[in-house]
């Protein structure tokens, strides 16, 4: 399966090239573009990003696999990232995790989501859901179906 950036994303890449000191700095923005355009990052997309960023494909792959928010395969279920770091742990993330295990979602344990003051936190797509309770989790999931 070949990958091509949309015309809109190609225009965005050209605009960003003027803002960044080197094309390699576009690696993360390009990965986000692919993630939003396709829903996951294929090896063909990694090759395409490598061309646009003058970066070896393996380096792009390493960046894509380092971050938990990028998906390297099509997603069959909704991904729910649940923070497992201290503040969330102390405020009840274990209960949230147990509750989510009963749902038809893909649970991803992640480190701090940068919202410790409103723990426990989960993230779906780019949105943080904070001060979670099991009831709030149900409300969020119901609203997203
Ligand atoms: S510890 Fe969970 S958001 Fe920071």
């Amino acid at each position: 399966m070949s990958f091509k950036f949309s015309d809109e994303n190609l225009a965005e890449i050209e605009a960003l090239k003027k803002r960044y000191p080197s094309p390699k700095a576009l690696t993360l923005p390009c990965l986000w573009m692919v993630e939003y355009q396709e829903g996951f990052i294929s090896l063909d997309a990694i090759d395409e990003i490598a061309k646009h960023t003058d970066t070896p494909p393996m380096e792009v792959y390493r960046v894509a696999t380092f971050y938990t928010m990028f998906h390297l395969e099509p997603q069959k279920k909704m991904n729910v990232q649940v923070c497992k770091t201290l503040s969330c742990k102390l405020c009840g993330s274990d209960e949230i995790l147990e509750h989510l295990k009963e749902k038809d979602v893909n649970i991803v344990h992640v480190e701090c989501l940068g919202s410790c003051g409103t723990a426990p936190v989960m993230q779906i797509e780019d949105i943080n859901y904070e001060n979670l309770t099991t009831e709030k989790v149900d409300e969020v999931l119901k609203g997203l179906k």
Side-chain angles (χ1 to χ4, degrees):
M1 183 169 75
S2 67
F3 170 83
K4 293 284 177 217
F5 279 107
S6 67
D7 291 343
E8 186 178 288
N9 282 335
L10 284 173
E12 179 72 15
I13 289 168
E14 290 311 309
L16 288 173
K17 279 182 180 174
K18 295 173 188 154
R19 279 185 24 202
Y20 287 94
S22 76
K24 188 175 185 174
L26 291 170
T27 302
L28 274 175
C30 285
L31 284 166
W32 277 118
M33 287 180 207
V34 173
E35 182 73 30
Y36 286 127
Q37 184 180 312
E38 302 294 311
F40 75 105
I41 298 164
S42 65
L43 293 178
D44 285 340
I46 285 175
D47 286 341
E48 194 68 14
I49 291 170
K51 284 184 209 161
H52 285 281
T53 59
D54 288 335
T55 305
M58 183 51 79
E59 274 190 50
V60 176
Y61 182 80
R62 285 197 315 233
V63 174
T65 56
F66 178 79
Y67 294 102
T68 57
M69 65 277 203
F70 295 126
H71 305 106
L72 301 182
E73 295 178 1
Q75 301 299 296
K76 294 181 182 124
K77 296 179 185 176
M78 180 190 309
N79 274 310
V80 180
Q81 298 191 57
V82 181
C83 175
K84 63 176 184 177
T85 310
L86 187 60
S87 295
C88 287
K89 195 93 171 159
L90 292 173
C91 291
S93 63
D94 285 345
E95 185 185 1
I96 300 302
L97 276 169
E98 285 306 310
H99 188 65
L100 280 167
K101 285 179 186 172
E102 299 165 7
K103 310 294 175 188
D104 190 28
V105 297
N106 184 31
I107 301 168
V108 183
H109 298 185
V110 296
E111 299 299 335
C112 182
L113 288 167
S115 191
C116 317
T118 56
V121 179
M122 69 179 182
Q123 189 178 80
I124 301 172
E125 302 284 322
D126 281 344
I127 300 171
N128 278 0
Y129 297 93
E130 304 161 319
N131 296 310
L132 291 175
T133 60
T134 54
E135 293 80 18
K136 189 166 179 182
V137 167
D138 289 343
E139 270 177 45
V140 168
L141 295 180
K142 189 176 175 189
L144 293 174
K145 288 188 177 180

